[in-house]
Amino acid sequence: MKKYITKRTLLALIISALHFIPFYITITMAFKPMTDFSSRWSLPQSLYLKNFHIAIEKAKILLAMKNSIIITAVSIALILFLGATAAYPLARIRTRFNGIILNLVLAVMMVPPLSMLVPLYSNMSRWGGISTYWGIIVVVTTFQLPLAIFLYTNFIATIPKDLDQAASIDGCNRLSIYYKIILPLLKPVTATVVILTGVWVWNDYQFSLYFLQKPEMRTVTLAISSFFSNNTSNLNAAAASALLAIIPIVVLYIAMQ
């Protein structure tokens, strides 16, 4: 038993080390000047903080973080509300029509988002949604909603229907059953949805690149990418920006455990 625990612990440490390597290299690069050509594995000789200054002043990473926080927070709120509300009747009322709806939800999840970029951009441009909060929020919410509906539907299906029947006998209607009985039981799957959709929206680059064209509307991914071009690149400042950008999403991840 001791040997088994030791091997398992060793394997866990190796896997953790492999996951930590990108963070380690990012940290070492963030505290080195561009003129330091030493190995990326070596620790910096001194803490070079100008990269963070460049990230804040040039890339405006703090403004980008504010934009990302607004977009992510509103998107998560909409995804949670719409996903859980839509999943309850789909899980509780098993009809052929609801079965078709569930299959359509699964089908939408398999469609590559960029395959619809041209008509989507055309419509959003016509509606005035380019470089606006509501425009990008509608887009990312639409593409992440099927995942939330799928997870909520499967989770609600595992909750015994006896709870609904008991609440109905006590005088609760469908709405009261959902808000007073079902919703409080959805905390585990809600945490999962928040983490999955939150990380996806925070790290989104493809939609932000096309739908957020004004410099003041840039998200963290666009701010970090501004350090790379065909002619020049500043990997050290990009690493500093990345370190600042991951703070909110790491806090969210820890809070959802």
Side-chain angles (χ1 to χ4, degrees):
M1 184 68 180
K2 226 177 204 182
K3 264 188 188 176
Y4 174 72
I5 293 175
T6 305
K7 286 181 180 178
R8 188 172 61 179
T9 305
L10 181 62
L11 180 62
L13 289 173
I14 292 172
I15 294 173
S16 300
L18 290 173
H19 281 82
F20 182 73
I21 286 173
F23 293 100
Y24 172 77
I25 294 177
T26 303
I27 292 169
T28 59
M29 293 300 295
F31 290 100
K32 287 181 180 180
M34 284 186 68
T35 53
D36 189 341
F37 296 105
S38 61
S39 172
R40 293 175 184 174
W41 292 88
S42 62
L43 291 171
Q45 296 177 354
S46 60
L47 294 181
Y48 184 78
L49 300 178
K50 193 175 179 182
N51 291 324
F52 293 92
H53 183 264
I54 294 172
I56 294 171
E57 292 297 323
K58 184 181 177 183
K60 305 228 181 311
I61 192 66
L62 297 182
L63 175 62
M65 288 172 66
K66 185 198 85 168
N67 292 333
S68 289
I69 288 172
I70 292 173
I71 293 168
T72 304
V74 177
S75 298
I76 288 175
L78 287 173
I79 290 167
L80 292 179
F81 174 74
L82 296 175
T85 306
Y88 179 61
L90 291 175
R92 281 293 188 254
I93 306 171
R94 294 292 185 177
T95 62
R96 174 178 281 186
F97 179 75
N98 281 356
I100 294 172
I101 296 296
L102 279 174
N103 288 330
L104 285 175
V105 169
L106 287 173
V108 170
M109 290 171 62
M110 299 175 189
V111 177
L114 288 180
S115 65
M116 294 181 281
L117 181 61
V118 174
L120 187 60
Y121 183 88
S122 176
N123 287 327
M124 293 304 294
S125 179
R126 193 182 309 121
W127 299 332
I130 304 299
S131 294
T132 62
Y133 284 127
W134 74 263
I136 190 66
I137 287 170
V138 166
V139 171
V140 296
T141 300
T142 301
F143 281 95
Q144 286 300 294
L145 193 56
L147 175 63
I149 294 174
F150 176 75
L151 292 174
Y152 274 119
T153 301
N154 285 279
F155 189 87
I156 294 173
T158 63
I159 300 174
K161 289 185 178 180
D162 296 342
L163 292 174
D164 299 44
Q165 294 170 359
S168 180
I169 292 172
D170 289 338
C172 290
N173 56 27
R174 281 283 185 183
L175 201 59
S176 298
I177 293 172
Y178 172 68
Y179 280 107
K180 293 181 180 179
I181 307 298
I182 302 300
L183 205 56
L185 299 175
L186 300 183
K187 288 180 182 178
V189 70
T190 297
T192 303
V193 172
V194 169
I195 291 172
L196 292 177
T197 59
V199 171
W200 190 92
V201 175
W202 184 268
N203 291 330
D204 173 63
Y205 177 78
Q206 54 188 8
F207 289 127
S208 299
L209 179 63
Y210 294 102
F211 292 96
L212 299 176
Q213 298 176 359
K214 291 182 181 178
E216 62 271 18
M217 290 297 297
R218 287 194 304 190
T219 56
V220 290
T221 52
L222 298 180
I224 294 171
S225 69
S226 66
F227 289 109
F228 302 95
S229 65
N230 293 330
N231 302 320
T232 60
S233 64
N234 190 339
L235 184 61
N236 303 73
S241 301
L243 282 180
L244 294 173
I246 65 173
I247 293 174
I249 206 68
V250 168
V251 172
L252 174 67
Y253 182 82
I254 294 173
M256 291 293 104
Q257 295 302 305

